[in-house]
Amino acid sequence: MEKNDYILLGSSIKTFELDDEEELNIEDDASRSYDFLEIIDSIKTNKFKENYLISITEVKLLSFDEQLKFCNDLLLKFEEKFDFTFPQKIEFNNKSDLNEFYNFLEFIHFNYIEFFGMLWIHLGKDIKNVNINEVINNNFNRIDLFINKKIDSLFYNKFINLFLRTYDKLNNFLIEKSIESKMQILLYILERTK
């Protein structure tokens, strides 16, 4: 059994001193803690999208304070898994900041096809017939120029902008996502260049 399963089971054990409403609250809290941990623990894995999409609608209905704790935990795990620290202290002051952070996580894990499609169009290379690793590594100055010129006009949020401009392992990220989503990027390019 995984750690998150123990938390779910242990947190939802019924006690005799509680009435039905209090027991429901305990079960809801246990379920929420489990969902949070599943999302947090799946950062930078193939399971993230599934875990995130299953729970995010309910997460967004929680109070600001509950979401704040969740986002701070997500941020810590993100920084650990990606070996990345934002160049400035990240503060979540309102729900808009939290939603921007959720959008950032979506971009990092699965909602990046438009960006990568535009990047490969900018590079002028046929993604299906090139060595992706070689193209990214040999064109990093062009990629940096693309990011710094286009990023603000693409209306990405502050988290995405900071990540793309300051992540010292950006090459690896670009290579990994380009290989992982090669066919989706190719379809995006084909639709845009008809």
Side-chain angles (χ1 to χ4, degrees), residues 2-187:
E2 292 185 32
K3 174 183 75 169
N4 297 348
D5 295 331
Y6 283 114
I7 290 171
L8 176 62
L9 289 173
S11 301
S12 60
I13 293 174
K14 297 179 181 187
T15 59
F16 296 108
E17 300 88 31
L18 302 176
D19 61 27
D20 289 341
E21 187 175 316
E22 289 174 317
E23 281 187 25
L24 284 176
N25 288 341
I26 287 174
E27 289 171 5
D28 287 345
D29 289 346
S31 178
R32 186 177 314 118
S33 293
Y34 175 81
D35 291 343
F36 282 4
L37 286 172
E38 284 292 296
I39 294 170
I40 291 166
D41 288 345
S42 66
I43 285 180
K44 203 176 181 185
T45 71
N46 292 334
K47 289 184 170 187
F48 180 84
K49 181 178 180 181
E50 177 185 351
N51 291 335
Y52 176 86
L53 291 176
I54 286 170
S55 301
I56 194 61
T57 302
E58 289 180 33
V59 168
K60 288 181 177 182
L61 296 175
L62 297 174
S63 72
F64 174 77
D65 289 337
E66 289 174 298
Q67 288 188 64
L68 177 62
K69 181 183 179 337
F70 176 58
C71 282
N72 282 322
D73 291 345
L74 278 170
L75 178 60
L76 287 174
K77 182 60 91 170
F78 177 84
E79 289 178 340
E80 173 193 323
K81 291 279 191 153
F82 280 82
D83 191 23
F84 173 77
T85 303
F86 283 97
Q88 58 199 46
K89 183 173 174 16
I90 299 300
E91 293 185 18
F92 303 108
N93 297 313
N94 51 48
K95 282 202 174 184
S96 178
D97 289 343
L98 299 175
N99 285 327
E100 280 194 11
F101 188 66
Y102 297 140
N103 289 336
F104 165 70
L105 291 173
E106 291 171 15
F107 173 82
I108 295 300
H109 287 91
F110 60 87
N111 194 14
Y112 50 76
I113 300 301
E114 179 182 19
F115 170 79
F116 278 83
M118 289 188 294
L119 173 64
W120 279 93
I121 289 170
H122 173 77
L123 291 173
K125 304 288 184 182
D126 182 359
I127 190 171
K128 74 177 180 200
N129 294 320
V130 297
N131 179 324
I132 291 172
N133 193 0
E134 192 176 291
V135 170
I136 297 291
N137 285 321
N138 291 341
N139 289 282
F140 197 71
N141 288 337
R142 289 184 67 202
I143 292 169
D144 192 49
L145 181 65
F146 169 79
I147 289 171
N148 287 312
K149 271 189 159 181
K150 294 283 188 183
I151 200 90
D152 292 327
S153 66
L154 299 174
F155 305 108
Y156 289 122
N157 70 45
K158 64 185 174 191
F159 300 108
I160 296 170
N161 290 349
L162 281 171
F163 178 80
L164 291 174
R165 287 183 168 141
T166 62
Y167 187 36
D168 63 351
K169 297 179 181 170
L170 186 61
N171 272 19
N172 295 339
F173 175 75
L174 296 175
I175 291 166
E176 176 187 324
K177 295 301 179 185
S178 291
I179 291 170
E180 182 180 301
S181 301
K182 185 176 183 176
M183 290 310 298
Q184 291 173 291
I185 296 167
L186 183 59
L187 288 172

